PDB file of all heavy atoms in Angstrom:
ATOM      1  N   TRP A 217    -309.606  83.172-141.390  1.00  0.00           N
ATOM      2  CA  TRP A 217    -309.459  84.292-142.375  1.00  0.00           C
ATOM      3  C   TRP A 217    -307.994  84.753-142.331  1.00  0.00           C
ATOM      4  O   TRP A 217    -307.380  84.773-141.264  1.00  0.00           O
ATOM      5  CB  TRP A 217    -310.421  85.388-142.069  1.00  0.00           C
ATOM      6  CG  TRP A 217    -310.593  85.707-140.622  1.00  0.00           C
ATOM      7  CD1 TRP A 217    -309.981  86.645-139.841  1.00  0.00           C
ATOM      8  CD2 TRP A 217    -311.464  85.009-139.703  1.00  0.00           C
ATOM      9  NE1 TRP A 217    -310.381  86.635-138.586  1.00  0.00           N
ATOM     10  CE2 TRP A 217    -311.333  85.612-138.451  1.00  0.00           C
ATOM     11  CE3 TRP A 217    -312.387  83.986-139.816  1.00  0.00           C
ATOM     12  CZ2 TRP A 217    -312.012  85.244-137.302  1.00  0.00           C
ATOM     13  CZ3 TRP A 217    -313.114  83.569-138.709  1.00  0.00           C
ATOM     14  CH2 TRP A 217    -312.916  84.237-137.454  1.00  0.00           C
ATOM     15  N   HIS A 218    -307.539  85.144-143.422  1.00  0.00           N
ATOM     16  CA  HIS A 218    -306.045  85.436-143.541  1.00  0.00           C
ATOM     17  C   HIS A 218    -305.744  86.899-143.389  1.00  0.00           C
ATOM     18  O   HIS A 218    -304.537  87.253-143.231  1.00  0.00           O
ATOM     19  CB  HIS A 218    -305.559  84.988-144.945  1.00  0.00           C
ATOM     20  CG  HIS A 218    -305.783  83.513-145.236  1.00  0.00           C
ATOM     21  ND1 HIS A 218    -305.189  82.539-144.482  1.00  0.00           N
ATOM     22  CD2 HIS A 218    -306.580  82.914-146.142  1.00  0.00           C
ATOM     23  CE1 HIS A 218    -305.580  81.332-144.954  1.00  0.00           C
ATOM     24  NE2 HIS A 218    -306.466  81.550-145.937  1.00  0.00           N
ATOM     25  N   TYR A 219    -306.719  87.747-143.298  1.00  0.00           N
ATOM     26  CA  TYR A 219    -306.441  89.194-143.112  1.00  0.00           C
ATOM     27  C   TYR A 219    -306.878  89.616-141.782  1.00  0.00           C
ATOM     28  O   TYR A 219    -307.961  89.238-141.259  1.00  0.00           O
ATOM     29  CB  TYR A 219    -307.218  89.953-144.227  1.00  0.00           C
ATOM     30  CG  TYR A 219    -306.923  91.458-144.149  1.00  0.00           C
ATOM     31  CD1 TYR A 219    -305.757  91.989-144.678  1.00  0.00           C
ATOM     32  CD2 TYR A 219    -307.864  92.326-143.622  1.00  0.00           C
ATOM     33  CE1 TYR A 219    -305.468  93.318-144.622  1.00  0.00           C
ATOM     34  CE2 TYR A 219    -307.624  93.679-143.604  1.00  0.00           C
ATOM     35  CZ  TYR A 219    -306.455  94.194-144.066  1.00  0.00           C
ATOM     36  OH  TYR A 219    -306.183  95.520-144.027  1.00  0.00           O
ATOM     37  N   ASP A 220    -306.088  90.433-141.101  1.00  0.00           N
ATOM     38  CA  ASP A 220    -306.322  90.919-139.762  1.00  0.00           C
ATOM     39  C   ASP A 220    -307.206  92.172-139.828  1.00  0.00           C
ATOM     40  O   ASP A 220    -306.728  93.285-140.004  1.00  0.00           O
ATOM     41  CB  ASP A 220    -305.017  91.236-139.042  1.00  0.00           C
ATOM     42  CG  ASP A 220    -305.289  91.682-137.604  1.00  0.00           C
ATOM     43  OD1 ASP A 220    -306.440  91.672-137.133  1.00  0.00           O
ATOM     44  OD2 ASP A 220    -304.305  92.067-136.950  1.00  0.00           O
ATOM     45  N   HIS A 221    -308.526  91.968-139.653  1.00  0.00           N
ATOM     46  CA  HIS A 221    -309.489  93.105-139.720  1.00  0.00           C
ATOM     47  C   HIS A 221    -309.510  93.893-138.360  1.00  0.00           C
ATOM     48  O   HIS A 221    -310.004  95.033-138.319  1.00  0.00           O
ATOM     49  CB  HIS A 221    -310.901  92.606-139.990  1.00  0.00           C
ATOM     50  CG  HIS A 221    -311.037  91.931-141.331  1.00  0.00           C
ATOM     51  ND1 HIS A 221    -310.605  90.651-141.543  1.00  0.00           N
ATOM     52  CD2 HIS A 221    -311.604  92.341-142.492  1.00  0.00           C
ATOM     53  CE1 HIS A 221    -310.878  90.260-142.770  1.00  0.00           C
ATOM     54  NE2 HIS A 221    -311.517  91.282-143.392  1.00  0.00           N
ATOM     55  N   THR A 222    -308.988  93.245-137.350  1.00  0.00           N
ATOM     56  CA  THR A 222    -309.105  93.891-136.035  1.00  0.00           C
ATOM     57  C   THR A 222    -308.326  95.165-135.886  1.00  0.00           C
ATOM     58  O   THR A 222    -308.670  96.021-135.044  1.00  0.00           O
ATOM     59  CB  THR A 222    -308.652  92.905-134.886  1.00  0.00           C
ATOM     60  OG1 THR A 222    -307.215  92.683-135.001  1.00  0.00           O
ATOM     61  CG2 THR A 222    -309.368  91.566-134.975  1.00  0.00           C
ATOM     62  N   LYS A 223    -307.312  95.351-136.702  1.00  0.00           N
ATOM     63  CA  LYS A 223    -306.562  96.603-136.578  1.00  0.00           C
ATOM     64  C   LYS A 223    -307.346  97.790-137.035  1.00  0.00           C
ATOM     65  O   LYS A 223    -306.962  98.940-136.773  1.00  0.00           O
ATOM     66  CB  LYS A 223    -305.267  96.484-137.439  1.00  0.00           C
ATOM     67  CG  LYS A 223    -305.510  96.200-138.902  1.00  0.00           C
ATOM     68  CD  LYS A 223    -304.162  95.928-139.593  1.00  0.00           C
ATOM     69  CE  LYS A 223    -304.289  95.554-141.072  1.00  0.00           C
ATOM     70  NZ  LYS A 223    -303.001  95.268-141.654  1.00  0.00           N
ATOM     71  N   PHE A 224    -308.470  97.557-137.742  1.00  0.00           N
ATOM     72  CA  PHE A 224    -309.345  98.663-138.085  1.00  0.00           C
ATOM     73  C   PHE A 224    -310.604  98.749-137.252  1.00  0.00           C
ATOM     74  O   PHE A 224    -311.257  99.820-137.163  1.00  0.00           O
ATOM     75  CB  PHE A 224    -309.817  98.527-139.591  1.00  0.00           C
ATOM     76  CG  PHE A 224    -308.657  98.553-140.538  1.00  0.00           C
ATOM     77  CD1 PHE A 224    -308.235  97.422-141.176  1.00  0.00           C
ATOM     78  CD2 PHE A 224    -307.997  99.774-140.803  1.00  0.00           C
ATOM     79  CE1 PHE A 224    -307.199  97.457-142.122  1.00  0.00           C
ATOM     80  CE2 PHE A 224    -306.924  99.807-141.663  1.00  0.00           C
ATOM     81  CZ  PHE A 224    -306.510  98.711-142.328  1.00  0.00           C
ATOM     82  N   PHE A 225    -310.999  97.644-136.613  1.00  0.00           N
ATOM     83  CA  PHE A 225    -312.294  97.603-135.972  1.00  0.00           C
ATOM     84  C   PHE A 225    -312.298  97.240-134.484  1.00  0.00           C
ATOM     85  O   PHE A 225    -313.219  97.664-133.803  1.00  0.00           O
ATOM     86  CB  PHE A 225    -313.197  96.559-136.711  1.00  0.00           C
ATOM     87  CG  PHE A 225    -313.499  96.924-138.089  1.00  0.00           C
ATOM     88  CD1 PHE A 225    -312.762  96.313-139.153  1.00  0.00           C
ATOM     89  CD2 PHE A 225    -314.447  97.834-138.406  1.00  0.00           C
ATOM     90  CE1 PHE A 225    -313.077  96.680-140.488  1.00  0.00           C
ATOM     91  CE2 PHE A 225    -314.762  98.170-139.714  1.00  0.00           C
ATOM     92  CZ  PHE A 225    -314.068  97.601-140.753  1.00  0.00           C
ATOM     93  N   TYR A 226    -311.401  96.454-133.976  1.00  0.00           N
ATOM     94  CA  TYR A 226    -311.505  95.894-132.639  1.00  0.00           C
ATOM     95  C   TYR A 226    -311.566  97.033-131.615  1.00  0.00           C
ATOM     96  O   TYR A 226    -310.769  97.928-131.550  1.00  0.00           O
ATOM     97  CB  TYR A 226    -310.359  95.006-132.315  1.00  0.00           C
ATOM     98  CG  TYR A 226    -310.416  94.404-130.935  1.00  0.00           C
ATOM     99  CD1 TYR A 226    -311.368  93.487-130.567  1.00  0.00           C
ATOM    100  CD2 TYR A 226    -309.543  94.869-129.914  1.00  0.00           C
ATOM    101  CE1 TYR A 226    -311.463  92.994-129.288  1.00  0.00           C
ATOM    102  CE2 TYR A 226    -309.654  94.379-128.614  1.00  0.00           C
ATOM    103  CZ  TYR A 226    -310.656  93.429-128.335  1.00  0.00           C
ATOM    104  OH  TYR A 226    -310.729  92.914-127.069  1.00  0.00           O
TER     105      TYR A 226
END
Side-chain angles (χ1 to χ4, degrees):
W217 41 95
H218 302 296
Y219 183 77
D220 182 7
H221 299 75
T222 66
K223 57 187 176 183
F224 298 109
F225 295 100
Y226 180 70

